[in-house]
Amino acid sequence: MRPSATTRIMYSLLRALCKLLLAATGGVKVEGMTNLEVQGALILVSNHQSLLDPLVLMACIPRRITFLAASYLFQIPVVGQVIRSAGSMPVHQKKSDLGSIRKSLAVLERGGTIGLFPEGGVSSDGRLRHPMPGWAYLALKSGAPVLPIGITGSRDVLAPGTFILRRRRICVKVGRPLMLAKAAVIRHEDLAVLNKKLERELLSLLTD
């Protein structure tokens, strides 16, 4: 099912608000935008330092991103309604969520963009945590390119556990796309190898 007109309009409005909000808190510097010149389906994979990170990606990535978000966020009044109306999909992290996998693959099959944070939540200390393999499964199942993205500074604007915005500059580094062939059979060893590769790519983007 393609996104409705209401979903597209809501996403555009949220994107405009995100740009205004981030401009007021110090702005966002983006590097590597040429790496976004990928046609068709795409999987965006980023580190997660702050609850602001999805807003950062919405503001600076010129694609309509379908985010995979933790299911508990959809239970929060107002927040849940907003992210759902913008087309985000809930993921149940404590069990295998075949429904969200099927919906994500459907988005990719029609040339859409999936955005996810494979650490499974906001890092408590700002350091990159070991990624979970869901992103790799989607990539191998769909054959869609994977674009690693490193975000720094968002934690300084909105620290975990607080709701007070501070004025700091955020930096987004877009890495080179990982081109993965579609696989008929996906093994745990393949997912582990790709996880290690992604972890190296993200660490490079965060430390360069």
Side-chain angles (χ1 to χ4, degrees):
M1 181 182 295
R2 293 186 176 276
S4 66
T6 300
T7 298
R8 293 194 296 269
I9 292 171
M10 179 60 73
Y11 190 91
S12 297
L13 289 173
L14 285 175
R15 188 166 189 260
L17 289 173
C18 289
K19 288 184 175 183
L20 289 173
L21 173 67
L22 295 171
T25 57
V28 180
K29 177 185 177 183
V30 184
E31 300 178 16
M33 284 294 285
T34 55
N35 292 323
L36 271 164
E37 297 173 358
V38 179
Q39 300 298 317
L42 185 62
I43 300 173
L44 305 179
V45 183
S46 174
N47 66 307
H48 206 1
Q49 292 194 336
S50 168
L51 289 175
L52 275 182
D53 294 333
L55 308 187
V56 172
L57 294 183
M58 286 180 70
C60 65
I61 301 298
R63 282 181 173 231
R64 199 188 75 81
I65 307 168
T66 299
F67 286 102
L68 302 185
S71 57
Y72 76 88
L73 293 174
F74 291 80
Q75 308 303 318
I76 302 175
V78 181
V79 172
Q81 294 172 336
V82 170
I83 61 177
R84 190 182 296 277
S85 62
S88 297
M89 296 189 297
V91 176
H92 301 276
Q93 296 176 318
K94 294 183 179 180
K95 59 182 179 180
S96 178
D97 195 340
L98 297 179
S100 66
I101 291 174
R102 285 195 294 267
K103 291 177 182 178
S104 298
L105 290 173
V107 170
L108 295 171
E109 285 172 5
R110 63 173 181 259
T113 301
I114 290 289
L116 50 84
F117 301 92
E119 293 172 84
V122 176
S123 172
S124 59
D125 58 5
R127 296 179 182 178
L128 182 68
R129 300 189 295 183
H130 296 300
M132 296 189 292
W135 72 272
Y137 182 87
L138 287 177
L140 291 175
K141 196 74 175 174
S142 66
V146 177
L147 203 65
I149 298 177
I151 302 176
T152 54
S154 59
R155 179 185 186 83
D156 298 324
V157 176
L158 183 64
T162 71
F163 295 96
I164 300 175
L165 295 173
R166 293 178 292 183
R167 188 172 175 80
R168 298 286 191 281
R169 192 168 180 79
I170 297 171
C171 181
V172 174
K173 292 185 179 180
V174 182
R176 295 180 179 178
L178 306 177
M179 311 302 290
L180 305 177
K182 190 173 182 178
V185 178
I186 300 174
R187 303 174 300 173
H188 288 294
E189 308 92 271
D190 300 328
L191 299 179
V193 169
L194 288 174
N195 253 348
K196 285 290 184 182
K197 184 173 184 178
L198 176 68
E199 191 170 4
R200 289 194 299 269
E201 292 290 333
L202 290 176
L203 282 172
S204 176
L205 292 171
L206 295 171
T207 55
D208 283 351

